[in-house]
């Protein structure tokens, strides 16, 4: 890559690094803690992907997403998924419109709440599969169909879906094919003791802080293109492929514990998502190339919803996260670094 092409990207990376620090500062004025969740949300948005937020009620998931939308100057929409929700309640529908002067009638499309920049699909597993699937076309194609016509969704467009890990009675778990459409699955954990004390003091007071806009929707689209231009070495592409192929049971690359604990592993989309998320994380911190640390840092969020564990794993107390941790430990970097003329050492230092 020539210096003429590299210089503007380096300037943009520095601006992105400064912008993410301002965004974090804005979010901290409203949401206390959850720094890792904020980072993963920003990674998902910069990579142009959608994500699932899983956590118990009362952890400020909705507040976090709405605050992020304000910081990025994005239109924010929220749908509360319920068992009686219909697909047209999400996408919109054609209604008969009558012109009172001429008396003519025609169908007019009324847009649904999906026509926004950042859509919070709250408790997506509480609605039947038919309604869940109404999001799929919008997530993948950035448009929806109504009748015989297609309607483009606003750009940028993100779906952030929430799931409640408790109260599973009467829910409709997302099928694996639909889960695979989400770039990341983010776990929202309980706050620490100090964070919880700050939450009690801040929320029960009368001071309300309104977050300021840091980036615009147009700048977010530009940054998405910037992320895709972040280079990744062939060595790290091979390392990513080793990780993904090792998740597949009965494969030549699968270690023994995968054959014992995993029913289904990640497909090629998992590898694509891992590289995109790593590129976004590198760009977020102003780095000009992807490192091993970037890949390993996003591996759990990218892969935890793409592997299906066996009964043996559950009986032994294993979770997708513990399996991914062991996979990273037992996938040797030296294996793919062999014959790379010292590239392995250079990448680890970057």
């Amino acid at each position: 890559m020539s210096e003429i092409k590299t210089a503007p990207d380096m300037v943009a990376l520095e601006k992105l690094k400064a912008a993410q620090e301002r965004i974090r500062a804005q979010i901290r004025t409203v949401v206390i803690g959850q720094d890792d969740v904020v980072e993963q949300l920003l990674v998902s948005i910069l990579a142009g992907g959608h994500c699932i937020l899983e956590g118990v009620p009362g952890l400020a998931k909705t507040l976090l997403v709405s605050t992020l939308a304000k910081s990025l100057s994005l239109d924010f929409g929220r749908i509360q998924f319920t068992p009686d929700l219909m697909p047209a309640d999400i996408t919109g529908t054609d209604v008969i419109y009558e012109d009172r002067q001429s008396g003519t009638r025609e169908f007019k499309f009324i847009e649904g709440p999906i026509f926004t920049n950042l859509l919070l699909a709250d408790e997506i597993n509480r609605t039947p599969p038919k309604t869940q699937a109404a999001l799929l076309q919008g997530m993948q194609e950035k448009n929806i169909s109504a009748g015989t016509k297609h309607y483009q969704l606003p750009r940028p467009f993100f779906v952030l879906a929430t799931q409640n890990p408790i109260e599973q009675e009467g829910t409709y778990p997302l099928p694996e094919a639909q889960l695979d459409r989400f770039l990341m699955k983010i776990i929202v954990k309980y706050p620490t003791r100090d964070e919880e004390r700050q939450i009690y003091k801040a929320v029960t007071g009368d001071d309300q802080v309104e977050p300021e806009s840091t980036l615009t929707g147009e700048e977010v689209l530009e940054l998405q293109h910037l992320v895709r231009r972040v280079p990744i070495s062939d060595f790290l592409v091979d390392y990513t492929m080793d990780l993904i192929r090792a998740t597949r049971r009965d494969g030549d690359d699968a270690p023994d514990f995968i054959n014992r604990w995993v029913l289904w592993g990640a497909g090629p989309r998992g590898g694509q998502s891992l590289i995109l998320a790593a590129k976004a994380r590198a760009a977020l911190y102003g780095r000009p190339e992807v490192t091993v640390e970037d890949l390993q840092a996003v591996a759990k969020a990218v892969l935890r919803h793409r592997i299906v564990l066996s009964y043996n794993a559950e009986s032994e107390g294993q979770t997708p996260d513990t399996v991914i941790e062991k996979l990273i430990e037992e996938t040797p970097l030296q294996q793919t670094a062999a014959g790379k003329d010292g590239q392995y050492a250079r990448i680890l230092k970057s």
Side-chain angles (χ1 to χ4, degrees), residues 171-217:
T171 61
Y172 304 85
L174 293 171
E176 283 71 21
Q178 189 166 343
L179 280 173
D180 198 41
R181 302 285 179 175
F182 289 91
L183 179 80
M184 306 177 86
K185 181 180 180 180
I186 302 171
I187 305 299
V188 184
K189 300 179 180 179
Y190 286 113
T192 65
R193 184 179 181 85
D194 289 340
E195 290 170 349
E196 193 159 351
R197 181 187 296 110
Q198 295 178 51
I199 291 170
Y200 293 160
K201 293 173 67 176
V203 175
T204 58
D206 193 35
D207 295 332
Q208 300 294 325
V209 180
E210 190 70 18
E212 298 178 358
S213 173
T214 302
L215 293 172
T216 66

Side-chain angles (χ1 to χ4, degrees), residues 264-319:
W264 298 101
R269 187 184 285 124
Q272 298 167 26
S273 299
L274 187 56
I275 289 175
L276 270 178
K279 285 187 172 189
R281 187 178 187 272
L284 201 61
Y285 289 98
R287 290 193 293 271
E289 65 177 343
V290 176
T291 66
V292 174
E293 179 191 358
D294 293 318
L295 286 165
Q296 294 178 345
V298 299
K300 288 182 182 178
V302 171
L303 297 179
R304 61 167 58 109
H305 58 295
R306 289 185 163 92
I307 60 175
V308 180
L309 300 188
S310 66
Y311 174 77
N312 290 334
E314 295 175 358
S315 65
E316 295 177 31
Q318 299 297 326
T319 66

Side-chain angles (χ1 to χ4, degrees), residues 76-260:
F76 173 70
R78 178 177 180 269
I79 302 175
Q80 181 65 49
F81 280 74
T82 57
D84 60 346
L85 196 71
M86 298 297 291
D89 297 329
I90 298 174
T91 60
T93 187
D94 286 319
V95 298
I96 296 178
Y97 172 76
E98 182 177 356
D99 189 325
R100 292 185 178 180
Q101 293 183 348
S102 63
T104 59
R105 294 182 178 183
E106 61 179 355
F107 281 104
K108 184 177 181 180
F109 180 71
I110 304 299
E111 295 181 351
I114 197 174
F115 285 84
T116 188
N117 295 126
L118 200 159
L119 178 66
L120 177 63
D122 214 354
E123 295 193 286
I124 191 173
N125 58 334
R126 295 206 176 276
T127 199
K130 179 179 180 180
T131 306
Q132 292 172 356
L135 284 175
L136 275 181
Q137 182 181 357
M139 290 170 58
Q140 187 70 22
E141 307 296 337
K142 302 298 189 295
N143 65 57
I144 63 100
S145 300
T148 59
K149 296 182 179 179
H150 297 276
Y151 300 91
Q152 293 294 323
L153 296 174
R155 300 291 182 93
F157 174 71
F158 310 101
V159 173
L160 303 183
T162 68
Q163 285 190 156
N164 186 346
I166 57 178
E167 297 180 9
Q168 293 299 308
E169 185 175 349
T171 61
Y172 304 85
L174 293 171
E176 283 71 21
Q178 189 166 343
L179 280 173
D180 198 41
R181 302 285 179 175
F182 289 91
L183 179 80
M184 306 177 86
K185 181 180 180 180
I186 302 171
I187 305 299
V188 184
K189 300 179 180 179
Y190 286 113
T192 65
R193 184 179 181 85
D194 289 340
E195 290 170 349
E196 193 159 351
R197 181 187 296 110
Q198 295 178 51
I199 291 170
Y200 293 160
K201 293 173 67 176
V203 175
T204 58
D206 193 35
D207 295 332
Q208 300 294 325
V209 180
E210 190 70 18
E212 298 178 358
S213 173
T214 302
L215 293 172
T216 66
E218 290 76 12
E219 288 174 323
V220 171
L221 288 173
E222 292 174 3
L223 291 173
Q224 288 178 350
H225 291 296
L226 173 67
V227 163
R228 287 183 171 269
R229 295 199 301 273
V230 172
I232 180 171
S233 67
D234 290 342
F235 156 70
L236 288 183
V237 171
D238 290 342
Y239 176 64
T240 300
M241 184 169 59
D242 286 345
L243 283 175
I244 297 299
R245 292 181 64 84
T247 66
R248 300 168 190 167
R249 182 177 180 172
D250 298 328
D252 295 336
D253 303 311
D256 291 339
F257 72 90
I258 291 293
N259 291 328
R260 188 169 73 254

